[in-house]
Amino acid sequence: MQILLLRHGIAAERAPSGRDADRALTGEGTKKLRLVLGAAKAAGVSPSLILTSPYRRARETAELAAEVLGYTGKIVECPALEPGGSPQEAWQEIRARRDEAAILLAGHEPLFSALTAHLLGAPTLQVDFKKGALVRVDAGSFGPSPRCVLRWMLTPRLCQAE
């Protein structure tokens, strides 16, 4: 299974409601996500399922990923992907869907850098997971402790045209 971790794009500093969960993507955040997702599409990325944090900026990121990558299925909200979620909880959500070919998860830091390290079996690994970045790891087994292989990481800066 391909596991695709997509950190939300740049979001507004504050939401009109004052709630962190209500912060929307900015125009710049959307533009940078489109660069990364366009490169992913060109590389053949095609999720069979999209899971997202229920926070607005992550939902908007997941919706943009669905649009650019041609995903027509349902986007599933997953509380385990909220900013305070744990890598173990996120892994349980992935394990529960082990029959999928490629799962894209849209979420936040610090969860995604910790989840990347957890998936690679290296909990002390430091990952600089930029806003709008996309990481692919592949899982071949689904035991209690993941043993995945890092395939690549795309960042908005890598995808910018010169």
Side-chain angles (χ1 to χ4, degrees):
M1 168 199 290
Q2 294 178 11
I3 302 168
L4 302 151
L5 305 177
L6 178 61
R7 184 176 176 196
H8 68 77
I10 299 166
E13 288 295 318
R14 288 185 42 82
S17 69
R19 290 177 10 105
D20 180 52
D22 295 339
R23 292 172 43 220
L25 292 177
T26 64
E28 180 183 7
T30 299
K31 178 182 172 187
K32 288 183 175 185
L33 277 167
R34 281 191 183 281
L35 286 171
V36 168
L37 291 165
K41 181 176 176 70
V45 170
S46 180
S48 58
L49 177 65
I50 296 179
L51 303 178
T52 185
S53 156
Y55 283 38
R56 180 176 176 179
R57 58 194 178 273
R59 280 194 331 267
E60 290 175 349
T61 296
E63 290 164 1
L64 187 60
E67 174 193 323
V68 173
L69 299 175
Y71 175 78
T72 58
K74 182 178 186 222
I75 296 172
V76 179
E77 286 192 3
C78 183
L81 299 179
E82 290 181 10
S86 77
Q88 295 80 9
E89 290 170 346
W91 175 239
Q92 292 310 315
E93 293 290 341
I94 294 165
R95 287 179 73 203
R97 294 161 173 90
R98 69 186 74 193
D99 293 334
E100 297 291 339
I103 295 181
L104 185 142
L105 291 78
H108 313 267
E109 275 295 277
L111 175 60
F112 273 16
S113 58
L115 178 56
T116 302
H118 183 71
L119 292 172
L120 298 174
T124 61
L125 180 70
Q126 299 293 306
V127 180
D128 185 10
F129 215 121
K130 300 289 188 192
K131 289 178 184 165
L134 177 65
V135 168
R136 176 181 158 192
V137 298
D138 290 354
S141 63
F142 297 92
S145 297
R147 293 288 178 255
C148 300
V149 175
L150 176 66
R151 293 297 180 195
W152 45 256
M153 176 184 232
L154 291 174
T155 65
R157 179 168 285 186
L158 284 174
C159 298
Q160 286 178 334
E162 294 292 321

